[in-house]
Amino acid sequence: MTTDDDAVSTELVAVVVAVRQGDPQVLTRSTPDGPALPSGPLRIAHRSLQAGTRAWVETQTGLQLGHVEQLYTFADSERVDASAAHSHRVISVAYLGLTRSADRQNGWSGWYRHFPWEDRRLGAGDPARSALVGALMDWAGTDPDSADDRRARCGIAFGLAGADWLPDLCLQRYELLWEAGLVAEAARGRSGELDGAQPAWVTDPSLADPAISGVPLPHDHRRILATGMARLRATIQYRPVVFELLPDAFTLGELQACVEAVAGAQVHTQNFRRLIQQQELVEETGEVDSSTGGRPARLFRFRRQVHAHRQLIGTKLPLPRRR
């Protein structure tokens, strides 16, 4: 016999990314709890999981998705439907989509609003990362038995003590902050409500400032977004998917800025352009962009004829491993 407590439902969640004016954006919808990722239950009428995801995105935001790929399935036992009379298991199947269309006035949220410590384009001394690293070191010392292990995990994730900062470890960084109680979602009860509480060991109230710990998302949507960020940051290092975020014609400066925006880190301009040319990823259109304010910049396009070949052998973009 099946009871309400034994019920399992499937939710479809979309992480749709665009880059606008050097700022990575994620598609959101308005809810009573603030911005949330487009999502909805899998229904009998949906031909497939992907078709259901496309349908919910179009219904909730008006955007028709192009290429999407399955991101991850989230099925942790503590995930509950806060609106249900009885808690039950919710399995979320997330998809990642890229688009050039981010011109709508509503429905987009800069992902560094939710992960301010992930944007290192201005250098390693950003206030969010500095404050959170200090708090993580304090957290590591709250349990003497696991202090060394905690410090080692923090060092790997946040590039401490000589370790490299790896852009695609953003999910690990978020999960460490959640474990330490330094993001708002860690204070959610089973009702799904945020109570604003911080762990007793946290003595600095400024850590609750969204400019430091980021803007929360409902349920575990920020964890899902972090998973999408990690996937995209890893993928641009071996597949030229960054071109799905650019217009048909672009300057090399715009290409570099798009890569830096997604990675949250600067790249060396000459090395970047040398690698792009060596791999013959782009070709000139024969036109120029005169809106740059200086010498007109040559416009390029992605060589679509090498796309299938590049997917097979990989395309390495020069993302830095800065300390």
Side-chain angles (χ1 to χ4, degrees):
M1 179 178 178
T2 301
T3 67
D4 288 341
D5 288 336
D6 295 323
V8 177
S9 64
T10 301
E11 176 193 41
L12 306 172
V13 185
V15 179
V16 183
V17 178
V19 175
R20 179 169 54 185
Q21 297 178 344
D23 185 23
Q25 307 268 318
V26 63
L27 185 65
T28 59
R29 60 186 176 92
S30 297
T31 75
D33 298 321
L37 300 178
S39 62
L42 176 66
R43 291 179 171 170
I44 296 297
H46 293 150
R47 179 176 53 84
S48 64
L49 294 170
Q50 185 181 125
T53 304
R54 291 178 182 275
W56 280 119
V57 169
E58 185 171 358
T59 298
Q60 294 174 349
T61 71
L63 181 68
Q64 292 185 339
L65 292 179
H67 173 75
V68 297
E69 62 182 64
Q70 189 166 327
L71 178 61
Y72 196 75
T73 298
F74 300 83
D76 307 65
S77 60
E78 66 269 17
R79 305 183 76 242
V80 299
D81 183 354
S83 65
H86 298 279
S87 296
H88 67 272
R89 192 75 168 264
V90 179
I91 298 175
S92 290
V93 182
Y95 280 82
L96 175 65
L98 307 180
T99 180
R100 301 180 178 95
S101 177
D103 54 356
R104 291 170 173 77
Q105 294 299 314
N106 300 310
W108 293 94
S109 180
W111 72 15
Y112 294 127
R113 292 181 62 237
H114 307 288
F115 300 90
W117 59 87
E118 290 293 336
D119 190 357
R120 290 170 53 85
R121 286 174 291 180
L122 298 180
D126 58 281
R129 177 178 178 270
S130 298
L132 292 172
V133 164
L136 281 171
M137 292 297 100
D138 292 342
W139 165 73
T142 60
D143 183 356
D145 292 336
S146 60
D148 289 343
D149 177 66
R150 286 180 173 183
R151 291 190 183 99
R153 290 166 56 205
C154 293
I156 293 171
F158 282 86
L160 308 177
D164 291 325
W165 171 275
L166 302 180
D168 52 341
L169 293 186
C170 44
L171 175 61
Q172 289 88 332
R173 287 188 281 272
Y174 173 76
E175 290 185 333
L176 263 175
L177 294 171
W178 186 93
E179 184 180 345
L182 294 171
V183 291
E185 289 88 339
R188 278 196 176 112
R190 289 186 64 84
S191 66
E193 296 295 325
L194 291 173
D195 60 19
Q198 288 183 299
W201 61 268
V202 174
T203 59
D204 184 356
S206 70
L207 293 172
D209 185 346
I212 300 296
S213 56
V215 175
L217 291 170
H219 312 302
D220 59 351
H221 282 197
R222 191 151 50 146
R223 181 187 176 205
I224 294 174
L225 175 55
T227 305
M229 291 171 63
R231 170 74 65 84
L232 183 54
R233 285 179 166 185
T235 302
I236 64 174
Q237 298 183 62
Y238 63 88
R239 279 176 49 201
V241 295
V242 68
F243 293 96
E244 303 300 329
L245 299 167
L246 288 163
D248 291 334
F250 49 84
T251 67
L252 292 182
E254 289 171 337
L255 172 58
Q256 179 176 336
C258 185
V259 170
E260 291 177 335
V262 171
Q266 293 179 326
V267 300
H268 188 277
T269 298
Q270 291 182 342
N271 290 346
F272 179 83
R273 296 191 177 191
R274 185 180 302 114
L275 188 57
I276 292 297
Q277 292 170 353
Q278 287 174 350
Q279 298 189 88
E280 299 181 333
L281 290 176
V282 299
E283 61 187 5
E284 292 189 42
T285 67
E287 300 178 346
V288 297
D289 180 5
S290 300
S291 65
T292 57
R295 178 184 299 178
R298 289 179 292 175
L299 288 171
F300 292 80
R301 58 176 167 248
F302 178 43
R303 296 182 64 225
R304 294 288 174 179
Q305 61 267 39
V306 304
H307 180 68
H309 182 55
R310 291 301 180 189
Q311 282 197 321
L312 290 174
I313 67 171
T315 297
K316 181 70 174 177
L317 293 180
L319 296 187
R321 295 189 172 185
R322 296 176 58 182
R323 295 182 177 180

